[in-house]
Amino acid sequence: MAKAQETVLEINLGALTHNFNYLKSKLQPNTKFLAVVKAFAYGSDAICIAKHLQNLHVDYLAVAYTKEGIALRDAGITLPILVLHPQPINFKKIIEGCLEPSLYSPKILTEFISVAEQEVQNNYPVHIKFNTGLNRLGFWENDIDYIVTKLKNTNSIIAKSLFSHLAASEDKNEERFTKNQINTFKTLVTEFKSKINYSPWTHLCNTSGVINYPEAHLDMVRCGIGLYGFGNSTKENSNLKPIANLKSVISQIHKLEPNETVGYNRAYTAKHFEKTATIPIGHADGIGRQFGNGKGYVIINNKKATIIGNICMDMIMVNITDIECNEGDEVIVFDNSHKANELAIAVNTISYEILTSISQRVKRSILS
Ligand SMILES: *Cc1c(COP(=O)(O)O)cnc(C)c1O
């Protein structure tokens, strides 16, 4: 692998294949696999990831917003695409792009039916989202009669699936709550199916649900973070491979005398004779201000270099007093051995946020 000479996010498609096969191995052979590629495929590159997943024969893709689905269609992705969180202003675009909306409230259902009728659709596939305890998006169990009546009064749409989302599938301490969500969902599915004359698919599990609740895999699972190499536990992290390496380079090295300060607002003061390296990555690239002042770090020549002072828009300064290095040397923010979930702990967040924060300014480089 060539050494980075600028800030670059390397995307390892071999690791993606490995993670997909690993997650698939947890499923029954006929359970379908939906790959969640929202937020630029968790901060990587949605188009390149979706193309690779299409080659791996995933059954479905999901994005959060309509715009993300349209971008995939424009890039030639032909898989069915579920839009998890659409708004009425985009319903016409959803139909034009052959995207499939999640319908999560009476207002959203009514407005989608009205647009589908205007667009003269017949059996347009939609996905009915139920709230079983996350209290974020979704119909309640007692909305079933309302939904069924709406479905019976129109030919424009068909419920291709019924789904819900687990609130704490990664947390063993919440096992009782999760089992209760699973049972609530199974009960409402039975009631729903008894009231219509066809059988929508059902799905409930995200990555941690796949790992921890095999009894809830149902017809399909929806995996995001696992595909990108993280399993929300030490054990599962060791079975998965991070697909993205964020690397950069040392632009300049400075020698400080005691009491000299570094960066904006003079937030760091040298206590001794110290050495710093300036790196071309800042808050506009996804290294947020919470990484500053000793919290975050990068890896230089296999050693941790702490970020000192405030994070700038386009650069950070790190302490290299005890590290042998030169201008032009490679810097690792995270990779396969210095993992994003460990960095996440240092800056008080989770792997999801570290990954999705990497901004579009950072060059992507595909390793195949
Ligand atoms: C983001 C998302 C997922 C994927 O969750 P992971 O924990 O990343 O596997 C699944 N379902 C829904 C509804 C989501 O919003």
Side-chain angles (χ1 to χ4, degrees), residues 60 66 69-70 73 79-83 86 90-103 108-109 111-128 150-151 154-161 198 200:
Y60 250 84
T66 305
I70 299 288
R73 285 286 178 254
L79 283 170
I81 301 173
L82 167 56
V83 180
N90 295 316
F91 284 167
K92 201 162 167 239
K93 281 204 189 109
I94 284 196
I95 293 174
E96 284 163 5
C98 288
L99 306 172
E100 303 179 10
S102 156
L103 303 181
I108 294 297
L109 174 63
E111 296 200 27
F112 192 78
I113 290 174
S114 128
V115 175
E117 286 176 349
Q118 268 164 39
E119 300 291 309
V120 213
Q121 297 301 307
N122 193 19
N123 286 346
Y124 195 90
V126 304
H127 303 264
I128 309 288
K150 284 276 186 190
L151 290 172
T154 182
N155 293 324
S156 64
I157 64 168
I158 186 163
K160 179 130 174 227
S161 84
Y198 58 92

Side-chain angles (χ1 to χ4, degrees), residues 36 38 42 84 129 136 163 165 205-208 222-226 232 352:
V36 181
K38 63 194 178 192
Y42 289 45
L84 292 164
K129 171 83 178 276
R136 189 171 75 171
F163 76 110
H165 195 38
C205 284
N206 65 341
T207 299
S208 296
R222 303 185 306 269
C223 288
I225 199 75
N232 295 327
Y352 296 73

Side-chain angles (χ1 to χ4, degrees), residues 17-208:
T17 306
H18 167 89
N19 297 334
F20 172 69
N21 288 333
Y22 176 75
L23 293 165
K24 277 286 269 187
S25 76
K26 300 270 170 193
L27 307 179
Q28 299 295 321
N30 56 351
T31 305
K32 292 185 228 343
F33 194 102
L34 176 152
V36 181
V37 295
K38 63 194 178 192
F40 303 103
Y42 289 45
S44 60
D45 180 325
I47 289 168
C48 146
I49 298 291
K51 283 188 174 159
H52 192 73
L53 290 166
Q54 191 161 275
N55 290 337
L56 293 175
H57 304 294
V58 305
D59 300 284
Y60 250 84
L61 296 175
V63 292
Y65 306 141
T66 305
K67 185 180 164 189
E68 299 176 297
I70 299 288
L72 294 177
R73 285 286 178 254
D74 288 347
I77 301 295
T78 53
L79 283 170
I81 301 173
L82 167 56
V83 180
L84 292 164
H85 197 171
Q87 300 296 339
I89 190 178
N90 295 316
F91 284 167
K92 201 162 167 239
K93 281 204 189 109
I94 284 196
I95 293 174
E96 284 163 5
C98 288
L99 306 172
E100 303 179 10
S102 156
L103 303 181
Y104 49 85
S105 71
K107 176 174 189 285
I108 294 297
L109 174 63
T110 310
E111 296 200 27
F112 192 78
I113 290 174
S114 128
V115 175
E117 286 176 349
Q118 268 164 39
E119 300 291 309
V120 213
Q121 297 301 307
N122 193 19
N123 286 346
Y124 195 90
V126 304
H127 303 264
I128 309 288
K129 171 83 178 276
F130 284 95
N131 174 23
T132 53
L134 182 58
N135 290 324
R136 189 171 75 171
L137 281 185
F139 287 102
W140 277 101
E141 200 173 350
N142 56 17
D143 291 321
I144 290 177
D145 286 333
Y146 171 87
I147 304 165
V148 167
T149 307
K150 284 276 186 190
L151 290 172
K152 284 187 173 157
N153 287 334
T154 182
N155 293 324
S156 64
I157 64 168
I158 186 163
K160 179 130 174 227
S161 84
L162 311 178
F163 76 110
S164 186
H165 195 38
L166 298 171
S169 57
E170 71 277 32
D171 187 351
K172 278 286 178 195
N173 295 324
E174 295 290 357
E175 194 171 313
R176 265 188 61 186
F177 183 90
T178 304
K179 291 202 160 159
N180 196 35
Q181 270 196 286
I182 295 169
N183 289 335
T184 303
F185 184 63
K186 286 184 174 172
T187 307
L188 74 82
V189 161
T190 307
E191 185 189 337
F192 196 104
K193 286 187 179 175
S194 74
K195 291 179 172 169
I196 52 169
N197 57 3
Y198 58 92
S199 192
W201 301 351
T202 56
H203 45 111
L204 180 61
C205 284
N206 65 341
T207 299
S208 296

Side-chain angles (χ1 to χ4, degrees), residues 251-270:
S251 298
Q252 193 179 18
I253 290 175
H254 286 266
K255 291 188 170 142
L256 305 176
E257 305 208 344
N259 295 319
E260 276 198 274
T261 64
V262 178
Y264 285 132
N265 307 107
R266 309 185 62 207
Y268 181 81
T269 306

